[in-house]
Amino acid sequence: MKTIILLSVAVCLVIATVIAESNSKQQPWMNTNLDPKDRARALMNQMTAEEKKGMLYGYGCQSKEWPYVGNVAAIPRLNIPSLKYNDGPQGFRDDAMPGSTTAWPSGLTAAASWQRETLQAWGEGMGKEFYLKGANVQLGPGVCVARIPRNGRNFEYLSGEDPFLGYVLVQDAINGIQSQQVVANAKHYVNNNQETNRGSVSENVDERTRFEMYYPPFVGAIEANVGSMMCSYNKINHVYSCENNGTLMTDLKVRMGFDGYVMSDWGATHSLSIEQGLDQEMPSNNFFNQTNLDSKPQHAIDDSVVRILTGFFAVGVMDKPNPNQISSNVTSIEQNDIAQKISENSTILLKNVNEALPLQKTNLKVVVVGAQSWQPVVHGGGSGQVVPAWVKPPLWSICDMLGVDRIDPSTGTLSKCSSDNGNCVTYNDGSQNPPGTASKDYNVAILFIQTSSSEGSDRPNLSFANGQDQYTTNWGQVKGNSFRKVLVMSTPGAVLTPWADGMDSILLNFMPGQAMGDAITNVLFGEVNPSGKLPLTFPNKENEQEMAVAQYPGLQNGENATYSEGFFFGYRWY
Ligand code: BGC
């Protein structure tokens, strides 16, 4: 009897599902032959006034009820899923489950490959993890053009200082992300070029400079059909970015023809600016809410709803529900290998004399200098930071490559040799002085140094902290022909390199992500050609361009930063 009842319940459920599915398939908005925008309009026409308004604001932030960084309520009646937004531009940030996603090379790093296929692989690799985490929007890529070398977020942006590089590469990144049923988000629109006073500074920049220097990466994003953009914290010409009719409505939506939607950066909404071009307040409803929106014309609300839904139809979110949960562990060896390849492709050989590189794999006595070789910093900080489950230290990758047992500085084992190939590896954290002249102990010193940066502040200078510049200088002064000095630097952008003359080789891998160890080792030993190229200029000294305070960080307590340099920043100035 029990079995019969259970069976009939199951049959009823199956029939109900089939009817529901066929009903939804008959709805005009479920017709995949129609244009995504037409489907979005058809669905919008079915929505009540409350449902429409409910799409124009969101909730944050990684709580039990709203597990993603940003969330928009679902409308189950119409099979509209909750919109699930997550940081960031170099991988899925999961503060609740750190280590469950891959820490990818940063945007600037991927750009240093100058390879479209690398950006595509980067977008696909990240997009896949967002999908597997159940998210349907990736809050990236970051695409601002680097104007200020010390900007704390330069590492996130894939344009470097060249608008055309950004214009090209953003398209592959977006194609990659959106191929995984995840809507991409180009940010931060626009002129979010410094973190100092980012919430109050007015970036005063003329129209031609905006169009020729700062908009092209966003134009590239539009050409790649990006579903969403994020307006920034700063003001542009005295008007907050998220209520700036000139940059949002006139430039972005009318002149550039963007027909996706604009969400605010987190807390960057300052008014009910729907008619100025903002479609969605994130992650709150201080201005965009059920009551306030009643004061706005219905056509503006309808337009924003259509814009929001269009991208979700375009990437397939509406046709194939995403069954995944944020609690999944989505990193893997395969994903790590892709991240490694991207880091390899993005590594730049800045100098190589005396045939210092590639290194030989036998009879090599190497001293590896610097904590960065043992506990490397592979990422910048802020909302875009991803905590990797595991980073293989470059020191161990080098030991593995040379067939030497791994040395472990945490247990005091600082040196090992192989009994069959003549290789030896020694570790020095930088605190021990180099030998006065080239001793027979080593053929090569590989120095690892790093500096990082974070969202929320600009870098105080372009130097390396914690004595790294000093020990690099000291090692550079060791004399002796057979003793080579190779430097690997990981940086979030431009740095000063006063010790460069003392080095035989210099490699740069920016913010290389979790697979740094094997990636840089493959480059050092010639398994991989270091084919990356600089996407921005490294100055000879601080503020070499002699920008006035009025340009950066701005006058009136940093309230006004004026782009009087026009096009002439970075390599165009040089
Ligand atoms: C950042 C955005 C990020 C958002 C959500 C903001 O502080 O500027 O890039 O997506 O936070 O975490």
Side-chain angles (χ1 to χ4, degrees), residues 170 174 217-226 229 252 256-259:
V170 69
I174 285 169
F218 293 96
V219 174
I222 295 168
E223 289 180 14
N225 288 319
V226 70
M229 293 213 191
L252 183 65
M256 294 186 238
F258 176 54
D259 56 13

Side-chain angles (χ1 to χ4, degrees), residues 69 87 93 153 187-188 198 230 233 265-266 383 455:
V69 164
D87 288 313
R93 154 188 171 200
R153 295 189 90 171
K187 70 187 191 183
H188 304 89
R198 70 173 179 179
M230 187 186 288
Y233 285 120
D265 199 341
W266 270 227
S383 62
E455 174 183 343

Side-chain angles (χ1 to χ4, degrees), residues 228-262:
S228 69
M229 293 213 191
M230 187 186 288
C231 53
S232 50
Y233 285 120
N234 55 286
K235 298 171 190 155
I236 305 114
N237 300 333
H238 310 288
V239 180
Y240 275 113
S241 169
C242 292
E243 58 188 31
N244 196 312
N245 192 70
T247 53
L248 283 182
M249 191 56 96
T250 309
D251 293 349
L252 183 65
K253 290 187 171 176
V254 177
R255 289 163 151 181
M256 294 186 238
F258 176 54
D259 56 13
Y261 70 105
V262 178

